[in-house]
Amino acid sequence: STTTDGTITSINPTALKWLQYTEQELVNKQSPAIFHDINEVVEMANILSKRHSDTIEPGFDVFIYEAKKGLTSSYEYTYNRKDGTKFLVSLTISAIRDEKGNITGYLGIAEDITERKKAEEELLISTQRYQNVVEGAEIITYSLDKNGVFTLSEGKILSKLGLKPGQVVGLNIRDLYKDAPEIIEFNDKALAGEPVQYETEVAGLIFYNQVTPIKDTQNEVVGVVGVVTDITERKKAEQLIQEQSQKMKQAFLIAKSGAWGLEANLDGSNAIMTLSDEYFAILNTTIEEQGKYEFPFEEWMSKFIVPEDHTIIINCLGGVLQNAEYSTNLEVRLKHSTFGYIYTNTVISTI
């Protein structure tokens, strides 16, 4: 955390370990700018200036400009350790406010994303390998006359469809693919003069099709030529990348959230709150300090919720008990060991 002008007021042990500094070297002496690559700060100043139609000078204001406006966003930066080595972080800045809503400082949460970026690069390399395989793959080439009759059918991957080169020459595409109307539809469009590109699945394989009209000197369509590429492996790769990307996004979101659960009788008695390690981390505490994850509802409120917000929580509990599909979004102040309390946005719904 920092003062409003950027002087560091507190820093946790994990950050000190990452950056190779001691608390005495930083607190009340340095600005977070000491960790940053000045070229990245200048670049971000230009980006934010254009985005907000404002002039933002390179410096501490780059980090807090959006937080001052009540916006929450994360940006990637390169951090410099004391020994000169570097690592990548995702940095989120939020404003610390007093009871009147005045900004009294800023809280920065940095996540080391070195491994995540490495994983993304490996996925990119994997994707490029698949693309290279596809680009070098054998193809099917065919042509139709203006009536849709095959005049050419060549290519080694015909064998994947159980066909031999030239086997379908003389057959009409409408007869051969009567059970695949989308193939007929796209080729009819090409025969009408419109170049088409489409994907289709045949015999469990996925093919990318490019069909181009052939025109005579009078610009009349006399047939089409088609090029078919097997993209089955590329599609599998894309699906794998999507799945892995989604898992990374979910893991990132979870890392930024403090989860808790509530169990109670229908009349509200015996209500028990179950907290998570992430919840404790937000409040700058740990399971070792608290001694347990489960707290009776009243003890939880007394220990973690600012007294003035107790009524909000009690009303919310009433809504949960009365409505099986209850869902709401609350701004609640949680007690914080360093800052006294912090504002949090809490999403509550029944399960």
Side-chain angles (χ1 to χ4, degrees):
S1 62
T2 71
T3 60
T4 55
D5 63 1
T7 302
I8 296 172
T9 55
S10 68
I11 184 167
N12 67 19
T14 299
L16 291 172
K17 182 178 179 181
W18 285 349
L19 297 163
Q20 301 174 344
Y21 285 94
T22 65
E23 190 173 13
Q24 291 72 24
E25 290 176 303
L26 299 176
V27 174
N28 297 323
K29 296 178 181 178
Q30 297 288 349
S31 163
I34 192 176
F35 314 137
H36 285 267
D37 183 324
I38 185 59
N39 293 324
E40 287 185 348
V41 177
V42 171
E43 181 181 359
M44 184 57 68
N46 292 330
I47 291 172
L48 293 177
S49 294
K50 292 178 181 178
R51 180 177 300 167
H52 297 284
S53 301
D54 198 356
T55 301
I56 304 172
E57 296 297 330
F60 185 64
D61 202 39
V62 168
F63 310 119
I64 64 170
Y65 183 86
E66 293 185 332
K68 286 194 296 185
K69 293 180 174 292
L71 303 174
T72 300
S73 52
S74 298
Y75 296 104
E76 294 181 3
Y77 290 100
T78 302
Y79 265 12
N80 298 307
R81 297 186 179 93
K82 186 178 180 180
D83 67 1
T85 57
K86 304 176 183 294
F87 64 103
L88 297 175
V89 300
S90 176
L91 180 63
T92 303
I93 304 292
S94 57
I96 303 170
R97 300 178 184 270
D98 60 21
E99 294 181 355
K100 296 181 179 179
N102 299 315
I103 296 177
T104 59
Y106 296 94
L107 176 65
I109 299 177
E111 178 197 7
D112 184 345
I113 59 171
T114 305
E115 292 302 316
R116 193 182 84 192
K117 297 298 287 186
K118 181 180 178 182
E120 290 174 354
E121 290 174 2
E122 290 174 351
L123 284 172
L124 179 60
I125 291 171
S126 177
T127 302
Q128 291 172 339
R129 286 174 178 169
Y130 275 110
Q131 289 175 338
N132 290 338
V133 170
V134 171
E135 290 171 358
E138 299 176 11
I139 61 175
I140 296 173
T141 302
Y142 71 89
S143 61
L144 307 174
D145 66 16
K146 63 180 180 180
N147 297 313
V149 175
F150 282 96
T151 57
L152 174 72
S153 175
E154 296 292 336
K156 290 184 178 180
I157 62 172
L158 281 167
S159 61
K160 295 182 179 182
L161 301 176
L163 298 173
K164 296 179 181 179
Q167 183 177 339
V168 301
V169 171
L171 299 178
N172 194 296
I173 192 172
R174 299 177 184 86
D175 296 326
L176 186 62
Y177 290 106
K178 60 184 178 182
D179 295 327
E182 72 280 1
I183 293 178
I184 297 173
E185 178 185 353
F186 283 113
N187 280 273
D188 279 345
K189 285 184 177 180
L191 286 168
E194 178 185 346
V196 295
Q197 301 175 8
Y198 68 99
E199 296 178 7
T200 187
E201 184 172 346
V202 179
L205 300 172
I206 303 174
F207 295 96
Y208 175 66
N209 303 261
Q210 295 176 286
V211 190
T212 305
I214 303 171
K215 297 182 179 181
D216 61 16
T217 55
Q218 282 74 43
N219 205 35
E220 295 291 329
V221 176
V222 295
V224 300
V225 60
V227 178
V228 182
T229 306
D230 182 357
I231 60 171
T232 306
E233 292 304 316
R234 192 185 81 190
K235 284 296 183 179
K236 290 180 180 178
E238 290 174 354
Q239 182 178 357
L240 176 62
I241 291 169
Q242 271 190 340
E243 291 172 353
Q244 294 189 359
S245 176
Q246 186 61 32
K247 288 178 181 178
M248 285 194 295
K249 288 179 180 178
Q250 290 172 348
F252 180 74
L253 290 173
I254 291 171
K256 296 293 186 185
S257 304
W260 54 264
L262 169 65
E263 293 184 4
N265 296 330
L266 292 178
D267 62 0
S269 62
N270 298 322
I272 298 295
M273 297 294 297
T274 302
L275 309 183
S276 66
D277 288 325
E278 290 80 12
Y279 189 97
F280 288 145
I282 288 175
L283 303 180
N284 197 30
T285 186
T286 63
I287 179 60
E288 288 77 14
E289 292 177 352
Q290 298 300 325
K292 58 184 178 180
Y293 288 106
E294 295 184 350
F295 295 82
F297 183 77
E298 293 175 353
E299 180 184 355
W300 168 75
M301 280 211 306
S302 175
K303 194 175 186 68
F304 297 102
I305 306 297
V306 172
E308 290 80 2
D309 289 351
H310 285 190
T311 301
I312 298 174
I313 297 296
I314 292 172
N315 290 340
C316 177
L317 175 61
V320 170
L321 295 173
Q322 295 172 20
N323 187 345
E325 297 181 354
Y326 185 84
S327 179
T328 189
N329 193 311
L330 303 176
E331 183 175 274
V332 178
R333 290 171 292 179
L334 301 181
K335 296 179 181 179
H336 193 281
S337 62
T338 302
F339 310 118
Y341 66 85
I342 59 173
Y343 285 87
T344 65
N345 186 51
T346 303
V347 178
I348 300 175
S349 59
T350 57
I351 58 173

